[in-house]
DNA sequence: AACTGTGAAAACTTTCACAGCC
DNA sequence: GGCTGTGAAAGTTTTCACAGTT
């Protein structure tokens, strides 16, 4: 398979969310132009993105919403349920625990860890918080993805342990740069950096000059 | 001023966080190579990024940590305090409210809004939650940035009102594509998309093939 | 006639490589 | 000698434009 741009994968997520929505509303068919408009990109981009993975449309007609949903779910690996563990039951961690949308998308949080003895054993959505020392044991049970929501100083240590336990995908909320070995995928959600991006835009009056509707976004 | 890549601005945030840390630890000077290694990029990239904004290093010596911190703070607009409002006092919203790191970086949450009458008047960190109906009045008081942490269906409506009130920077946590007029900057934090990116990587065995340390990251 | 799929062109970003300064 | 700043080259992503299918 050819090399797929990172940005393409990001857009596939957007397309998928949109298409599910349209499907729920009974839309059965749409063109690349319509999908592009709703997802803030161009028709050519939509077609190119999809073309990396196969051919899903019908010339002259467009795409079947349901078929495309099915195809995208397959491409993105969203047909199976992913087993997720959460490390860090602080503010962000507990916010995530309550975020039912994740479960709906097939990401099920099966274990929660914290370092603070005061929190151990407390129950959250049917899970009881385990001590961080048990991380290795619990991960051995077949966790696919670990979400790291601990303070910046502790994050690299946690990631190292998690990777050593065989986990190959990590979502990091700590505002720090982490290192993982090849073969492990790490994504970082950094709201401080996003806010700083807004600050930059405000002082530099940056924006993609464009017409009325449909503006700067990142 | 020339056009600055989006990605450059993102890296400046990373450099800045790192440099502050080094400064606290008493490091006074470093080379582009050292900064690059710590931030997961290359020396040439560091130099190119900085070169968009001026010349900050000394040939043969490298960069003064404190000078570079000062320069970056200026470039990013982080010398002033930004006045922030939060719309949506649900799980994510309240997690953000308690996130002291933001205040430390100069982003001060000055108002909180929610739609739920049961939450109105409740106090959070010295702020009392206001009804969403008062959004326009309160924003008139000089809010620079609005954080949107409401359900997806409500987000576009909130953004429209916020923009109409003159706010020019929005950070969106709702998992949906929003539209803002030109002149307004919108950033979206979408953890569902990040998780889907991990799912994609897991099923497609994707990773930038690279040597041992220092791997795939996004 | 409408709309996709796709090579080729354009635009953008990163890396290279070296002249220039400390 | 060591390291920056930067044009030019390489690499990557997006856009164009059109042949091909329904």
């Amino acid at each position: 398979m050819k090399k797929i741009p990172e940005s393409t994968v990001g857009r596939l997520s957007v397309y998928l969310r949109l298409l599910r929505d349209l499907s729920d509303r009974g839309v059965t068919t749409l063109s690349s132009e319509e999908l592009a408009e709703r997802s803030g990109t161009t028709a050519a981009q939509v077609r190119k993105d999809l073309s990396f993975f196969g051919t899903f449309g019908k010339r002259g007609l467009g795409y079947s919403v349901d078929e495309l949903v099915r195809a995208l779910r397959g491409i993105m690996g969203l047909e199976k349920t992913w087993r997720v563990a959460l490390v860090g039951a602080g503010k962000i961690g507990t916010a995530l625990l309550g975020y039912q949308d994740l479960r709906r998308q097939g990401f099920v949080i099966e274990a929660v860890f914290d370092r603070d003895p005061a929190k151990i054993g407390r129950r959250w959505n049917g899970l009881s918080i385990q001590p961080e020392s048990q991380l290795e044991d619990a991960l051995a049970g077949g966790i696919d993805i670990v979400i790291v929501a601990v303070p910046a100083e502790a994050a690299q240590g946690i990631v190292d342990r998690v990777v050593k336990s065989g986990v190959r995908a990590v979502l990091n909320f700590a505002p720090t740069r982490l290192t993982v070995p090849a073969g492990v995928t790490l994504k970082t959600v950094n709201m401080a950096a996003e806010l700083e991006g807004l600050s930059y835009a405000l002082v530099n009056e940056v924006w993609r000059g464009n017409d009325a509707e449909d503006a700067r976004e990142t």
Side-chain angles (χ1 to χ4, degrees), chain A residues 59-88:
Chain A
R59 295 171 193 235
L61 292 174
Y63 302 87
S64 148
V65 172
D66 287 346
E67 263 175 45
L68 199 46
V69 165
R70 223 168 307 129
L72 288 176
R73 285 180 32 95
I75 292 163
M76 306 285 293
L78 298 173
E79 275 153 345
K80 61 165 290 186
T81 292
W82 293 104
R83 306 179 66 187
V84 180
L86 170 67
V87 185

Side-chain angles (χ1 to χ4, degrees), chain A residues 148 154-164 170 178-180 186:
Chain A
V148 176
Q156 184 67 59
I158 295 292
V159 168
D160 291 345
R161 290 172 60 192
V162 149
V163 166
K164 209 169 278 172
V170 176
L178 299 178
T179 297
V180 293
L186 168 69

Side-chain angles (χ1 to χ4, degrees), chain A residues 109-171:
Chain A
I109 299 181
E110 301 202 341
V112 190
F113 301 88
D114 203 282
R115 176 170 66 176
D116 179 359
K119 287 184 184 156
I120 309 302
R122 198 180 294 174
R123 305 208 121 249
W124 276 106
N125 274 16
L127 293 172
S128 94
I129 300 179
Q130 300 177 252
E132 247 170 50
S133 53
Q134 282 170 28
L135 205 48
E136 283 79 1
D137 294 343
L139 295 183
I143 290 291
D144 303 300
I145 298 174
V146 168
I147 301 180
V148 176
V150 303
E153 319 79 71
Q156 184 67 59
I158 295 292
V159 168
D160 291 345
R161 290 172 60 192
V162 149
V163 166
K164 209 169 278 172
S165 302
V167 170
R168 286 178 36 253
V170 176
L171 182 60

